[in-house]
Amino acid sequence: MALPWTARGVLVIAGGILVHLSLGTHYTFGNISPYIVSYIRERSKPSDLNYEQAMWIYALAQSFHGIAMYVGGFIDRKIGPSWTTLLGGALVSFGVGLTYFTIMQSFYAVLITYGLMFGIGVGVAYAPPLAAAMRWFPNRKGLVSGCIVGGFGFGAFVFNPIQTAFVNPDNLSPNTTDPDDPGNLYFDQKSVLDRTPYCFIMLGVVYFSMQIIGSCMVRNPPVESEDESGEREKLIVKEGEEETKKPVDERSAGVTMGPGKMIRTRAFWTLWCTYLFNTQTQVLISTLYKAFGQTFIADDLFLALVGSFSSVCNALGRVMWGYFADRFSYKKTMLVICAVNTFFMLTLKLTDRAGEAMFLIWVCGVFLSFSGNFALFPTATARSFGQEYIGMNYGLMFTATMMSAITGSFLANALADSIGWLGLFVLCALFSAAAFVLTLTFNVKTPAGKNI
């Protein structure tokens, strides 16, 4: 006997969450970066690598994440979400595993495996679970996308402590500086450096195991029998009764656009630029929160836990903001996100005076605020341009994060010495303020005349 429609849809969501949990280890870069940089400085090349330069690993992964997401949407239409998800996951896991070898060679080799390959794999595997789940629950796009990308945000909660326990089980603190880089601390302890390459083998095996299981659960809705169609109609009416009594999603009815038409609209570019500005914070804090914390907190385990708790906020925030977008609108919810993010970034530098507790709360607050971007923009894309091409359309939308990774890394490398931590944080706050203004101009309506 086949499972009810709702139960099958929930399994698809669960599979998507499991896959995104492994893909979301993208956010562990801020935790693992000190180990990577310290190892390369001591045992590989270049010996003068610093944390700002290492941001290019994250930037490369983020950039190709954006590029490959469009490709993933195209592949999904050809071979289906399950195989596409597994293909992307395999690239991620293989790249991570190969980093065991490349970290012993040079920083530039790590760029290929932990940056390029990781990013392409994440991009290919990211959208198919989202698109499939939204097809099962079309009137709950915000909540469904929030749940799945919540798995992406939750990845660091699971894997930050695993990485730290594996590489630094004695909770040693970084203990060496560079005369040319006095603001940063690095590890030179043999026990930490010896374990660093082996961490990537362990992570690659665990990731791929999760991806195999999750991808098997990701399926598009089947062609319905008469009974299933009736069940489906009842479900949609129940979910969307405040908006419609018909089994369609009123919010995207009649506005289906392919990528070619979409990029010629003002709405696309308003959303794209908002995404670009609002994810500058994500690039900076995801990669450098630990490097900043090390300047006044001498506890590596605590800093790893900060990353873990902030990832919980990253995950729960995606669900929360997705729910608010369903309950109120994309526009109202995004205005709140921009305002909250601006506040936390303007005041983040104060944590070096207030100590560990404020640092934990503020980093969690930053992750809570920027997490909403990754729940709201898939929803806004689907509502504005329709469901049919959501994988490809959101792939193009996501290229904004590619540009934010490049510009964020460039600005951090170019300006860190001259404007310091405070200047970098204020710059991110200004970007979020600009996103707030752009959101005020966004004016896409539902057929009923409401903001999407």
Side-chain angles (χ1 to χ4, degrees), residues 19 50 75 363 388:
V19 170
N50 61 37
I75 297 173
V363 172
E388 183 177 354

Side-chain angles (χ1 to χ4, degrees), residues 83-267:
W83 286 108
T84 306
T85 301
L86 185 60
L87 173 63
L91 284 171
V92 169
S93 301
F94 191 50
V96 172
L98 280 178
T99 306
Y100 168 83
F101 301 101
T102 58
I103 197 172
M104 301 178 190
Q105 303 303 313
S106 74
F107 167 67
Y108 305 102
V110 175
L111 279 172
I112 301 300
T113 57
Y114 207 69
L116 177 66
M117 291 181 66
F118 195 108
I120 292 174
V122 172
V124 170
Y126 189 97
L130 278 173
M134 282 194 239
R135 293 184 184 109
W136 286 88
F137 300 103
N139 279 340
R140 287 291 181 266
K141 290 184 175 72
L143 183 59
V144 166
S145 65
C147 287
I148 292 179
V149 298
F152 196 93
F154 211 75
F157 173 77
V158 176
F159 287 97
N160 271 351
I162 291 175
Q163 291 171 355
T164 297
F166 188 96
V167 176
N168 188 12
D170 300 320
N171 196 26
L172 302 175
S173 297
N175 62 345
T176 185
T177 60
D178 187 329
D180 297 325
D181 183 26
N184 290 320
L185 293 168
Y186 305 97
F187 293 93
D188 68 356
Q189 295 93 333
K190 184 177 184 298
S191 61
V192 172
L193 301 180
D194 284 348
R195 293 186 184 98
T196 297
Y198 291 97
C199 182
F200 297 104
I201 294 288
M202 179 270 294
L203 292 174
V205 172
V206 173
Y207 295 168
F208 194 51
S209 301
M210 297 167 62
Q211 291 153 1
I212 291 173
I213 297 170
S215 63
C216 290
M217 300 166 67
V218 174
R219 293 282 189 274
N220 281 325
V223 176
E224 301 161 295
S225 67
E226 184 176 345
D227 289 341
E228 289 174 329
S229 296
E231 180 187 352
R232 176 70 175 141
E233 181 171 349
K234 291 177 183 177
L235 175 65
I236 292 178
V237 169
K238 182 178 179 181
E239 288 182 343
E241 61 188 2
E242 71 278 5
E243 300 176 64
T244 178
K245 295 297 181 181
K246 300 179 292 182
V248 296
D249 184 4
E250 288 287 329
R251 289 167 292 192
S252 59
V255 293
T256 297
M257 293 185 188
K261 289 184 178 180
M262 179 185 70
I263 62 173
R264 294 197 293 270
T265 66
R266 177 182 175 183

